[in-house]
Amino acid sequence: MISSRLRRAALPLIAGLGLLGSTLAVSSAQAADQPLRFGIISTESSTNQSTQWQPFLDDMSDALGVEVKPFFATDYAAVIQAMRFDKVDLAWYGNKSAMEAVDRAGGEIFAQTVAANGAPGYWSLMIVNKSSPYDTIDEVLDHASELTFGNGDPNSTSGYLVPGYYVFAKNHIDPNTAFKRTLNANHETNALTVANGQVDVATFNTESMERLEITHPDKAAQLKVVWKSPLIPSDPLVWRTDLPQQTKDELRDFFLSYGDTARQKQILEPLQWSGFAASDNDQLLPIRQLELFKQRAQVAADDSLDADDKQQKLADLDARLESLNERMDAREAAQAQPAGNTTAMATQ
């Protein structure tokens, strides 16, 4: 557009270069003045999350010399879409939503959270009210047609993907038809509705349980765990791959050094973290494996498929699983990780 205007005005080339240079300089200055937009997935009400996150975001603003503005949404998909359309620059996701952001929204993992309690990750749960007659997941599934089920956000790792495979796909059960009624909500809402007797059984996770024991201890006391998953890797931090390298360097330095002081540890305490560790997209390998396991179980149980078509789909999924297995083995060997560390979830 600048070149066409210069041609129409018949300006000399040197003038055009001068105008272009000044325009780029202004553009860069404007970019430097733009706030950094931080996406935050919805695990509970945005009011509660705003209180928890603001001190941390303020510290990030001070360290980077630019305003950091939070982006809260009612579901995980909105944060993924915001990254896809350049409405957020970086975001805190669960592993499942991070996979969607990496695959569909130009995202890249650069760090992961470190739990305050030192756990290498967290666990998905299935919960019922403590007065429920059911004590195991098998008992719940045996009576599913009589129960209302609170499922998680479809982009949630612990609220949807993990129980979707281990509880339902492995047992050849479709929760949408097995239960009398199925609802979808965030972790906090699922827990509160179970505690209040509005939902019979729901997905949850250990991190959110710890949070609920602080914010609503009376409600937490009303819950009973009937199932606990294998380990899920800690939550990833994802930035847009097209961010300037200087911005990425500054973000990486900020996150990987944060949590060293007593004041910073106090700010992270409501978020249930002690700091951050470096990570990359390979953190998603066990999540990708789990997603393929779930798809394979669904295809194998689908009697509507032609036999040859089913066999081809299964063969394709098996080939993709084998490729993932090779990548995971190579990664573990390179890092000299003990067997069953972050991949325990996918191999059990």
Side-chain angles (χ1 to χ4, degrees):
M1 184 179 294
I2 291 175
S3 297
S4 63
R5 288 202 301 268
L6 293 178
R7 285 196 297 270
R8 287 197 300 269
L11 293 176
L13 177 60
I14 187 65
L17 290 174
L19 176 59
L20 180 60
S22 63
T23 301
L24 291 175
V26 171
S27 176
S28 297
Q30 289 173 339
D33 290 339
Q34 292 298 315
L36 199 66
R37 299 154 300 179
F38 195 116
I40 298 169
I41 55 174
S42 174
T43 55
E44 55 184 289
S45 72
S46 59
T47 301
N48 289 347
Q49 288 190 296
S50 178
T51 301
Q52 298 163 25
W53 277 90
Q54 197 56 55
F56 175 73
L57 299 179
D58 289 342
D59 273 6
M60 194 187 309
S61 296
D62 292 341
L64 300 180
V66 62
E67 180 185 7
V68 179
K69 299 181 67 172
F71 176 86
F72 297 103
T74 56
D75 60 23
Y76 290 29
V79 181
I80 297 168
Q81 287 295 92
M83 178 165 283
R84 179 185 176 191
F85 292 105
D86 295 343
K87 301 300 182 183
V88 299
D89 301 299
L90 72 159
W92 164 62
Y93 290 112
N95 286 280
K96 171 66 164 62
S97 49
M99 183 172 68
E100 298 295 326
V102 167
D103 292 348
R104 296 177 173 82
E108 178 186 27
I109 294 175
F110 69 96
Q112 68 179 156
T113 60
V114 176
N117 61 9
Y122 63 110
W123 292 263
S124 173
L125 304 173
M126 292 284 282
I127 55 172
V128 299
N129 191 282
K130 74 172 186 178
S131 64
S132 170
Y134 311 120
D135 296 315
T136 69
I137 193 60
D138 289 337
E139 292 173 354
V140 168
L141 296 179
D142 286 344
H143 295 84
S145 63
E146 308 163 20
L147 308 176
T148 299
F149 171 49
N151 207 349
D153 186 295
N155 286 303
S156 170
T157 307
S158 61
Y160 194 89
L161 177 63
V162 172
Y165 174 68
Y166 285 106
V167 175
F168 300 118
K170 289 190 72 172
N171 289 297
H172 310 293
I173 292 173
D174 180 353
N176 293 314
T177 57
F179 289 94
K180 180 173 66 176
R181 187 183 181 202
T182 296
L183 308 170
N184 292 88
N186 64 38
H187 302 307
E188 181 186 50
T189 299
N190 274 348
L192 294 178
T193 53
V194 170
N196 292 332
Q198 298 164 304
V199 167
D200 298 302
V201 58
T203 64
F204 203 35
N205 69 49
T206 53
E207 289 183 335
S208 295
M209 180 71 86
E210 292 173 6
R211 174 71 184 160
L212 194 70
E213 288 169 348
I214 296 171
T215 59
H216 300 285
D218 55 327
K219 301 300 182 183
Q222 296 299 313
L223 302 179
K224 177 169 59 174
V225 175
V226 293
W227 175 82
K228 182 177 180 180
S229 77
L231 179 71
I232 302 171
S234 297
D235 291 341
L237 279 299
V238 178
W239 57 32
R240 291 199 343 256
T241 55
D242 61 355
L243 284 182
Q245 187 59 48
Q246 181 178 345
T247 302
K248 291 181 178 180
D249 292 342
E250 292 173 350
L251 284 170
R252 183 183 285 108
D253 289 345
F254 170 78
F255 276 91
L256 298 189
S257 64
Y258 199 86
D260 290 344
T261 69
R263 175 183 168 279
Q264 290 172 352
K265 290 184 184 302
Q266 186 176 13
I267 287 175
L268 288 175
E269 186 176 352
L271 298 171
Q272 299 170 259
W273 302 330
S274 62
F276 305 89
S279 190
D280 56 38
N281 288 347
D282 277 354
Q283 171 176 331
L284 299 174
L285 290 176
I287 308 303
R288 294 187 185 282
Q289 188 184 46
L290 186 58
E291 180 70 20
L292 289 178
F293 277 145
K294 180 181 175 183
Q295 291 178 28
R296 194 189 191 289
Q298 291 170 339
V299 169
D302 189 351
D303 295 331
S304 68
L305 290 174
D306 173 82
D308 291 339
D309 187 27
K310 176 183 285 191
Q311 192 61 37
Q312 182 60 53
K313 288 180 181 293
L314 290 175
D316 290 345
L317 288 167
D318 286 341
R320 293 167 64 186
L321 280 166
E322 180 59 29
S323 177
L324 281 179
N325 288 339
E326 291 174 358
R327 289 176 60 189
M328 291 172 69
D329 289 344
R331 178 179 170 85
E332 289 177 2
Q335 297 180 343
Q337 292 181 345
N341 188 0
T342 58
T343 60
M345 180 183 63
T347 56
Q348 292 190 23

